[in-house]
Amino acid sequence: MLSIIIIGGMFSWALNLFIGCYVFSNNPRNVVYQKFFLFSLSIAFWSVGSFLVQFIPGDAILAVTRLCYVSACFLPVLSMDFGISLVDARKFLPRLFYLLPIVFMILLFFGDFFIRGLRQIPNQRFYVTDPGSAYGLFFVYFVIGSLATLMILFRGAQHNFGLKKKQLQYAFVAYLIAAVAGLDYFLSVFKIVDCPPIDDYLLVLTFAILAYAIIRHRLMDIDVIIKKTIVFGGIVLTVVSSLAVLLGLVQALIGISLGSLNPLILMIIGIITTVSIYRPMEKWLVMITDRYLFQKKINYRVLLREASAALAHVDSLKSQARTMVAFLIIKARITHAAVYAFAAPDRSCLTLKASRPQVLDPLLRRIGLEHPLIDFFQAHQEPIEIHALEEAKGRGEVAEEAFKAIASLMESLKAEAAIPCYGGEAASRFNPKAFRLKGILFLGPQKSDESYREEELDVFFTLGQESSIAFENARLYDEAVNRALELERINEELKRTHSALLEEKKRAVLAAIGKSMAHEIRNPITPMNSHLYFGRKRLEEMRKIYEATAPEAAGEDREKFLKNFNSVSEAFCEIEKCKDRIQGIVNTLYNLVAQKTGNKVEVKLDMVVDSAIEEVKYQNYWETLNQPVIENLIPRDLPFVSGIPQDLQGVFVNLIVNAIHAMEKTTKKVITIDAITDDESPNMVRVEFSDNGCGMSPEVQAKLFEHGFTTKGARGTGLGLFYCRNIIEKVHGGTISVTSRPGEGTCFTICLPEYRKMVESAVV
């Protein structure tokens, strides 16, 4: 056990010292590198002491322990100072804090207030500190320093973006493990855990994470160039060696369990096993090294050529933007991307045209021309990288409010860089007076987790200029398309207006014809009414004369007179009925073409249905649908109904249109309209309107007349049958009902009151 602990201490010492020296050697004048070197040196000094004290005999062991605690006294202050510098290289820990380790050093070497000596862990050859009365203060000082460092790194990770954020996250995890390692030693000192501490192994893990962050994520802005073949070869050698040992153990176990086997057979089995495992293992190792240690390099010359080819064809702005986003994510290996551009015809702001992942916040869909980002591009006309912008803010080149607005926008879009797309000369500086911003490309973190270098931003800036040409062409394309759509809309509006004028003219002509016909027919009806009236008067006088002279007349003459008299009286009644029917037909025709009124008049249903059929034809349904057969079977001698002709015509128009829609998938379309006097309901006329369409389920029939209910989807309003029911039942005092079966058609039954006029009888 002791030998394992000693090896751990030696390895921790060597690793910490190596990484600290390597970082310091990159730039000895860099203050951050200096602090990291001192921090690493302190931990290395403590690690080497953890195994030296196990070999030093006598009183010298206490002196060595005190020397090791010198580095421990400086660890909290050095860690805080390094953490502050790592978050912001311009800030430092006040020098006053360095008085604390000096105070503890005085307590350490004068008396036994700090350390009384060493004690051996029971049943172990391992020594730990025997704390003095002031050791508790040192423990509190260590805990506060560790928590303060963790808080500094955590807050720094929260308030930074992209690569800097990831660097601080790794630093936080590494120091958290280091703090746990320190606390682990205190557990043994205070006899909470009576076993050797494992702090040296945890410190190895700490510096392994820091080394990975330096290699992969350029922690402290250190570029480490490692030959891929060397690392890959080392990993393969390690894995294959481990695999060979494992196979050897398996072969030995097989030999023991099965007795003596031919060594040649065992060797063949080993070779086959190694060959079968190596190829999948090689692919896995390539994937691991590419993902965690190396990045696939991008040929930017090929990238620009492919981008030009992708954007060469003219398309809509939205399509071009989507192409650009897909290109950036797939070809340029970027995790997030968004494209803003001026949309046609609105040039008052930049509009989000495409993004991945989708931007859901409606406030991020527009960037106004008053935004500080637009002002920055107008002033500098160069790409923005968030870390470079932060440095510019620190130098006073960017105002605090402008930086906050730009950083907030880029954080919301998960972007690390913003590339302006200018019109005109590609990739050149422009005259600020000739500001030609066409769009903005927002680039998220690279899949390699590297921050954007200057040469990469130059390539994307050139790509932005290529994009601006495509965006402007796409905007002009959209304008042309929108203009064509607007012209088409205006043309349709003109057609509708023309149709309305024709309809109005048609109605005016029909109204004139109807009025003229009504006038011409009424002219002879007027004297006819007079003749009928005086004729009935004369009959009445003849009846009175007959009653006065009848007793003197012979029986045969009296019978003949009565027969002729009754015949003439009945003829007068029939003539008056025909006159009333002619009057009703004329009134129906007149009211169909006249201005709508709320007055109920006598209505001839077959004429209303014929008029409704003509109106539906005039609405051009026959041009888009196969013309159905409409059979108007209403008897010509059907009694008049009491109603408003225009309203009843609207009801039949709705029913015909609905039937046409219901028969879209029917090969032979037939609509039948019939009417009879209703024997079950006196003084009512029953109309049956049926089609052979798709029919309806009972659930649909139950909701059919509800306001807003429709089965037509987007082309339906849910008002047609609601209107029909209101007209029939509330306006005309009738009823409307429906019977239907899916696949068998539908039948609407409408009952309307008859128009009744009392006619005096002259029969005796």
Side-chain angles (χ1 to χ4, degrees):
M1 180 67 179
L2 180 61
S3 60
I4 295 175
I5 294 173
I6 292 172
I7 293 172
M10 293 177 62
F11 189 69
S12 175
W13 165 77
L15 180 62
N16 297 340
L17 190 60
F18 171 76
I19 294 177
C21 292
Y22 175 80
V23 171
F24 182 72
S25 64
N26 271 269
N27 186 0
R29 296 183 179 181
N30 189 304
V31 178
V32 179
Y33 295 176
Q34 294 172 2
K35 293 177 180 178
F36 181 77
F37 173 70
L38 293 175
F39 175 64
S40 303
L41 191 63
S42 298
I43 294 180
F45 196 81
W46 173 260
S47 299
V48 74
S50 65
F51 67 87
L52 286 179
V53 295
Q54 313 303 324
F55 300 99
I56 300 174
D59 296 334
I61 189 173
L62 185 59
V64 173
T65 301
R66 292 182 190 275
L67 288 174
C68 290
Y69 266 98
V70 171
S71 62
C73 290
F74 280 93
L75 271 177
V77 175
L78 289 173
S79 64
M80 283 193 295
D81 204 359
F82 171 66
I84 292 172
S85 300
L86 193 60
V87 172
D88 190 344
R90 298 180 302 276
K91 296 182 179 179
F92 307 101
L93 185 71
R95 295 293 175 256
L96 184 63
F97 279 81
Y98 279 91
L99 294 176
L100 290 174
I102 295 174
V103 171
F104 282 108
M105 285 174 57
I106 294 172
L107 294 175
L108 182 64
F109 287 101
F110 292 93
D112 54 359
F113 295 102
F114 198 111
I115 299 176
R116 286 201 297 261
L118 297 176
R119 69 177 183 87
Q120 187 176 3
I121 295 177
N123 303 321
Q124 299 287 340
R125 293 176 56 196
F126 193 87
Y127 295 94
V128 294
T129 303
D130 184 14
S133 57
Y135 197 88
L137 294 175
F138 173 73
F139 172 71
V140 173
Y141 158 69
F142 186 89
V143 171
I144 292 175
S146 300
L147 292 176
T149 305
L150 290 172
M151 184 60 69
I152 290 167
L153 294 174
F154 180 78
R155 290 177 64 85
Q158 290 294 311
H159 291 85
N160 277 277
F161 310 93
L163 182 62
K164 184 71 172 179
K165 182 184 184 75
K166 192 172 290 291
Q167 290 173 349
L168 292 176
Q169 287 174 343
Y170 275 99
F172 173 81
V173 173
Y175 191 78
L176 178 62
I177 296 173
V180 171
L183 293 175
D184 172 67
Y185 184 80
F186 285 118
L187 293 177
S188 299
V189 170
F190 292 121
K191 301 181 181 179
I192 297 174
V193 177
D194 216 6
C195 64
I198 58 171
D199 54 322
D200 286 328
Y201 295 99
L202 293 175
L203 290 175
V204 169
L205 181 58
T206 294
F207 279 86
I209 293 174
L210 290 175
Y212 174 78
I214 291 172
I215 295 173
R216 179 69 193 275
H217 300 291
R218 298 173 56 230
L219 181 65
M220 295 179 284
D221 295 327
I222 297 175
D223 285 323
V224 180
I225 301 175
I226 305 176
K227 291 292 185 181
K228 182 173 182 178
T229 53
I230 297 175
V231 175
F232 184 71
I235 294 175
V236 171
L237 179 62
T238 303
V239 173
V240 171
S241 300
S242 303
L243 186 61
V245 172
L246 180 62
L247 289 175
L249 292 174
V250 171
Q251 288 179 357
L253 291 174
I254 293 174
I256 294 172
S257 60
L258 299 179
S260 59
L261 285 178
N262 191 333
L264 180 60
I265 296 176
L266 291 176
M267 184 178 68
I268 293 173
I269 293 173
I271 293 173
I272 293 174
T273 305
T274 303
V275 170
S276 61
I277 293 176
Y278 176 75
R279 183 55 62 184
M281 182 69 68
E282 181 187 23
K283 292 181 180 179
W284 179 76
L285 288 173
V286 169
M287 184 269 293
I288 291 297
T289 52
D290 278 343
R291 182 173 181 180
Y292 293 105
L293 290 178
F294 307 102
Q295 299 83 38
K296 293 181 180 178
K297 298 302 179 183
I298 300 173
N299 188 329
Y300 289 106
R301 182 179 299 175
V302 175
L303 182 74
L304 290 174
R305 185 171 65 248
E306 292 179 348
S308 299
L311 297 172
H313 65 286
V314 178
D315 205 342
S316 67
L317 183 56
K318 194 168 188 178
S319 178
Q320 291 280 38
R322 287 177 175 174
T323 300
M324 176 55 67
V325 167
F327 183 83
L328 290 172
I329 290 177
I330 297 172
K331 296 292 185 179
R333 297 177 55 79
I334 294 174
T335 58
H336 303 81
V339 173
Y340 285 77
F342 287 108
D346 185 14
R347 301 296 303 274
S348 62
C349 64
L350 289 161
T351 307
L352 177 65
K353 306 308 296 183
S355 65
R356 189 183 295 179
Q358 184 179 4
V359 176
L360 301 177
D361 189 351
L363 298 177
L364 296 176
R365 295 191 175 275
R366 290 172 173 266
I367 300 177
L369 297 182
E370 70 282 356
H371 196 280
L373 179 63
I374 306 298
D375 295 336
F376 180 92
F377 284 147
Q378 188 166 7
H380 298 86
Q381 299 186 352
E382 62 184 15
I384 290 178
E385 199 273 330
I386 190 63
H387 301 107
L389 184 68
E390 188 174 2
E391 293 177 0
K393 189 259 297 185
R395 295 191 300 268
E397 298 174 3
V398 179
E400 180 72 23
E401 293 299 324
F403 171 78
K404 287 182 179 179
I406 296 173
S408 176
L409 175 63
M410 295 182 68
E411 183 179 12
S412 300
L413 295 173
K414 299 179 180 178
E416 288 190 1
I419 311 297
C421 304
Y422 296 106
E425 310 90 10
S428 63
R429 302 295 176 182
F430 303 103
N431 181 358
K433 295 182 180 179
F435 183 56
R436 300 170 181 168
L437 186 67
K438 304 298 181 184
I440 302 176
L441 308 179
F442 287 94
L443 311 180
Q446 298 189 83
K447 292 180 180 178
S448 63
D449 286 333
E450 291 184 338
S451 61
Y452 289 97
R453 303 172 187 269
E454 185 176 352
E455 58 270 21
E456 293 172 340
L457 292 176
D458 288 340
V459 170
F460 286 116
F461 186 65
T462 304
L463 180 60
Q465 312 326 304
E466 295 281 346
S467 303
S468 69
I469 300 172
F471 292 163
E472 182 63 14
N473 290 337
R475 188 185 64 80
L476 295 173
Y477 173 84
D478 287 345
E479 283 185 354
V481 171
N482 292 336
R483 192 179 298 111
L485 292 175
E486 181 65 17
L487 289 174
E488 185 177 350
R489 186 192 65 79
I490 294 173
N491 189 38
E492 290 297 324
E493 187 67 28
L494 289 173
K495 286 182 179 179
R496 285 193 294 270
T497 304
H498 183 64
S499 297
L501 290 174
L502 288 177
E503 176 71 12
E504 190 65 28
K505 186 175 181 180
K506 171 188 170 183
R507 287 188 176 277
V509 171
L510 289 176
I513 294 173
K515 289 179 180 179
S516 177
M517 290 178 61
H519 178 72
E520 294 298 325
I521 295 173
R522 282 172 180 168
N523 282 339
I525 287 178
T526 301
M528 184 185 297
N529 283 331
S530 299
H531 292 313
L532 285 172
Y533 174 76
F534 288 111
R536 293 173 68 88
K537 280 285 190 181
R538 299 294 178 266
L539 284 175
E540 183 63 24
E541 292 176 359
M542 291 174 63
R543 186 180 64 79
K544 291 179 180 179
I545 294 172
Y546 169 75
E547 289 177 351
T549 60
E552 300 177 359
E556 183 179 351
D557 293 335
R558 186 170 59 251
E559 291 294 332
K560 186 176 180 180
F561 178 82
L562 290 174
K563 181 178 179 181
N564 291 331
F565 182 86
N566 289 331
S567 176
V568 172
S569 180
E570 289 175 359
F572 270 96
C573 289
E574 290 299 323
I575 290 171
E576 188 161 4
K577 288 181 182 178
C578 291
K579 184 268 298 181
D580 290 339
R581 188 167 185 82
I582 293 171
Q583 185 69 50
I585 293 171
V586 171
N587 290 339
T588 299
L589 175 63
Y590 180 81
N591 288 314
L592 280 173
V593 297
Q595 293 293 328
K596 181 178 177 180
T597 66
N599 300 325
K600 294 179 184 176
V601 296
E602 65 267 45
V603 178
K604 196 171 188 298
L605 271 180
D606 59 317
M607 292 181 65
V608 172
V609 171
D610 286 338
S611 180
I613 294 172
E614 290 302 318
E615 182 174 341
V616 173
K617 288 182 179 180
Y618 189 75
Q619 292 177 359
N620 295 328
Y621 278 91
W622 297 168
E623 293 181 5
T624 56
L625 301 165
N626 292 331
Q627 181 175 357
V629 176
I630 303 180
E631 298 177 347
N632 184 0
L633 304 180
I634 297 178
R636 300 301 174 184
D637 58 350
L638 186 75
F640 293 127
V641 297
S642 177
I644 303 172
Q646 293 92 339
D647 287 348
L648 293 177
Q649 181 180 343
V651 169
F652 285 108
V653 167
N654 268 289
L655 294 179
I656 294 172
V657 171
N658 287 344
I660 291 172
H661 290 161
M663 296 186 297
E664 284 182 345
K665 298 182 179 179
T666 304
T667 303
K668 186 177 181 181
K669 304 173 176 62
V670 178
I671 298 174
T672 303
I673 308 170
D674 199 357
I676 58 172
T677 55
D678 195 346
D679 296 333
E680 298 178 359
S681 301
N683 303 325
M684 299 292 286
V685 173
R686 186 175 68 198
V687 182
E688 293 184 350
F689 185 101
S690 59
D691 65 68
N692 63 341
C694 59
M696 293 178 285
S697 65
E699 293 79 12
V700 173
Q701 295 178 51
K703 300 180 180 180
L704 196 61
F705 297 103
E706 293 181 3
H707 184 276
F709 177 77
T710 181
T711 59
K712 300 179 185 179
R715 68 177 178 178
T717 62
L719 299 176
L721 290 176
F722 175 79
Y723 160 82
C724 293
R725 187 174 191 176
N726 184 72
I727 293 297
I728 296 298
E729 295 184 354
K730 294 185 178 180
V731 177
H732 289 81
T735 61
I736 182 171
S737 59
V738 62
T739 56
S740 180
R741 289 184 180 180
E744 297 183 8
T746 302
C747 179
F748 286 90
T749 301
I750 300 172
C751 291
L752 294 168
E754 289 184 13
Y755 182 84
R756 304 194 64 80
K757 179 180 179 181
M758 297 301 297
V759 180
E760 295 183 2
S761 177
V763 179
V764 295

